[in-house]
């Protein structure tokens, strides 16, 4: 294992980043699509094709059930082609003639179709729980508390009177138990007064701190100017690790939704939104630090992928679920024109988000710093 790590670190940065990106994204996409695949088989839907990656297949083969398995050369996603996914009106008679009665997707009940579609994001959440649980069983769960170890001179914390040895209890009335919770709460609140409840010498008191603003390359973030004590790690038994993994996954999901809400109302910079380039950079950095940081990153991204696919945007799983909910309420599918307009709008929104996130990646990432260095 040590020899592998040595050889891995000897690779140039670009190949290491690309390999880590392909591995991370490949695992996440495989698990997501496997969720759709297993749910389809459970509900009696035949799967025509299962593909990881797009473009011309590097590897392909057909199993005894008739499903074609493919590995595309563009590792930016994947898909499961469900048998009879199209409605009969959308395909020519010769295609309908080859459909297997009782095994097409479109003829299944709306509840069965919803299960197949929702299974992909659910698989990503389950993967995150298992990855976190694995880390908690092997490396241990970080237990750092909220004790203050260092207060930077002249910082917002120093001006408010915070001292080393204080322990933060709550922020604006919200209880905190880990230092990273303090960081997540403070970062989007630069220049905004925050009521910080602390314990000092066994007594609780509250001080008001206004975080300073610091530019991190993606816009200003709030900082207090404090450092927490070193975290320790406690290994958990399998049952406790699974429970802690579920709690960690739920906490990250909530924090992600909260962050998106803060972006929408202008409390947080939209420059924090990242795309594939940033994922590749972070994957390379995590891989260079070791297996545990890479697994932790994979769990975080798995939560993000599952959550993203549940957004009610046509073309995504969440958009299909909205259509199925409308079908269940109406007793019949939405008109084809309404679905077509929805898919067009969803496509335009996704392309816009992709371009915006990619621009953030380029402007605020290594590419942007490289260009700025050339210009400077």
């Amino acid at each position: 294992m040590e020899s592998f790590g040595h050889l891995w670190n000897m690779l140039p940065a670009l190949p290491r980043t690309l390999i880590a990106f392909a591995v991370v994204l490949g695992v996440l996409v495989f698990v997501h699509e496997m969720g759709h695949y297993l749910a389809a088989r459970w509900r009696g839907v035949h799967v025509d094709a299962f593909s990881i990656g797009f473009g011309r297949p590097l590897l392909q083969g057909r199993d005894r059930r008739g499903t074609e398995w493919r590995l595309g050369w563009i590792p930016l996603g994947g898909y499961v082609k469900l048998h009879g996914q199209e409605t009969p009106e959308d395909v020519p008679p010769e295609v309908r003639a080859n459909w297997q009665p009782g095994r097409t997707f479109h003829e299944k009940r709306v509840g069965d179709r919803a299960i197949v579609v929702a299974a992909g994001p659910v698989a990503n959440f389950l993967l995150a729980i298992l990855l976190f649980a694995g880390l908690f069983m092997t490396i241990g769960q970080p237990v750092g508390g909220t004790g203050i170890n260092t207060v930077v001179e002249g910082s917002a914390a120093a001006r408010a009177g915070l001292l080393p040895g204080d322990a933060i209890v709550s922020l604006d009335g919200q209880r905190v138990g880990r230092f990273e919770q303090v960081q997540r709460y403070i970062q989007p609140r630069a220049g905004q007064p925050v009521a910080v409840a602390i314990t000092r010498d066994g007594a609780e008191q509250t001080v008001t701190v206004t975080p300073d603003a610091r530019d991190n390359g993606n816009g200003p973030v709030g900082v207090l100017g404090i450092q927490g004590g070193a975290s320790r790690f406690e290994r958990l038994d399998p049952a406790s690790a699974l429970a802690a993994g579920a709690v960690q996954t739920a906490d990250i999901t909530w924090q992600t939704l909260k962050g998106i809400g803060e972006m929408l109302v202008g409390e947080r910079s939209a420059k924090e939104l990242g795309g594939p380039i940033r994922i590749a950079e972070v994957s390379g950095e995590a891989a260079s630090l070791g297996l545990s940081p890479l697994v932790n990153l994979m769990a975080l991204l798995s939560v993000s992928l599952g959550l993203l696919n549940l957004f009610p945007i046509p073309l995504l799983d969440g958009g299909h679920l909205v259509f199925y909910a409308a079908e269940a309420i109406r007793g019949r599918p939405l008109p084809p024109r309404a679905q077509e307009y929805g898919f067009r709008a969803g496509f335009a929104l996704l392309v816009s988000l992709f371009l915006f996130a990619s621009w953030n990646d380029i402007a605020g990432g290594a590419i942007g710093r490289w260009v700025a260095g050339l210009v400077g």
Side-chain angles (χ1 to χ4, degrees), residues 4-78:
F4 173 78
H6 178 68
L7 292 173
W8 172 259
N9 289 325
M10 287 180 61
L11 286 174
L14 181 59
R16 192 169 60 211
T17 295
L18 293 177
I19 293 172
F21 174 68
V23 170
V24 169
L25 196 61
V27 170
L28 299 184
V29 171
F30 176 80
V31 169
H32 181 93
E33 300 303 336
M34 183 56 69
H36 290 311
Y37 172 82
L38 293 176
R41 287 191 54 191
W42 175 38
R43 307 317 297 171
V45 178
H46 176 64
V47 178
D48 290 332
F50 186 113
S51 177
I52 301 300
F54 299 105
R56 180 177 299 175
L58 299 173
L59 297 172
Q60 61 181 335
R62 190 176 298 274
D63 64 19
R64 58 186 179 84
R65 296 184 180 88
T67 300
E68 184 177 356
W69 297 76
R70 305 169 184 164
L71 178 64
W73 71 277
I74 304 176
L76 291 177

Side-chain angles (χ1 to χ4, degrees), residues 177-202:
R178 300 191 307 274
F179 206 76
E180 57 265 29
Q181 292 177 309
V182 177
Q183 292 175 316
R184 284 202 298 261
Y185 190 86
I186 292 298
Q187 284 179 350
R189 289 171 171 80
Q192 302 177 28
V194 177
V196 181
I198 61 171
T199 55
R200 178 183 296 170
D201 299 327

Side-chain angles (χ1 to χ4, degrees), residues 273 344-360:
L273 196 65
R344 288 182 180 179
F347 179 76
L349 178 59
L350 289 177
V351 169
S352 300
L353 287 174
F354 176 81
L355 294 176
F356 180 75
S358 298
W359 171 252
N360 283 346

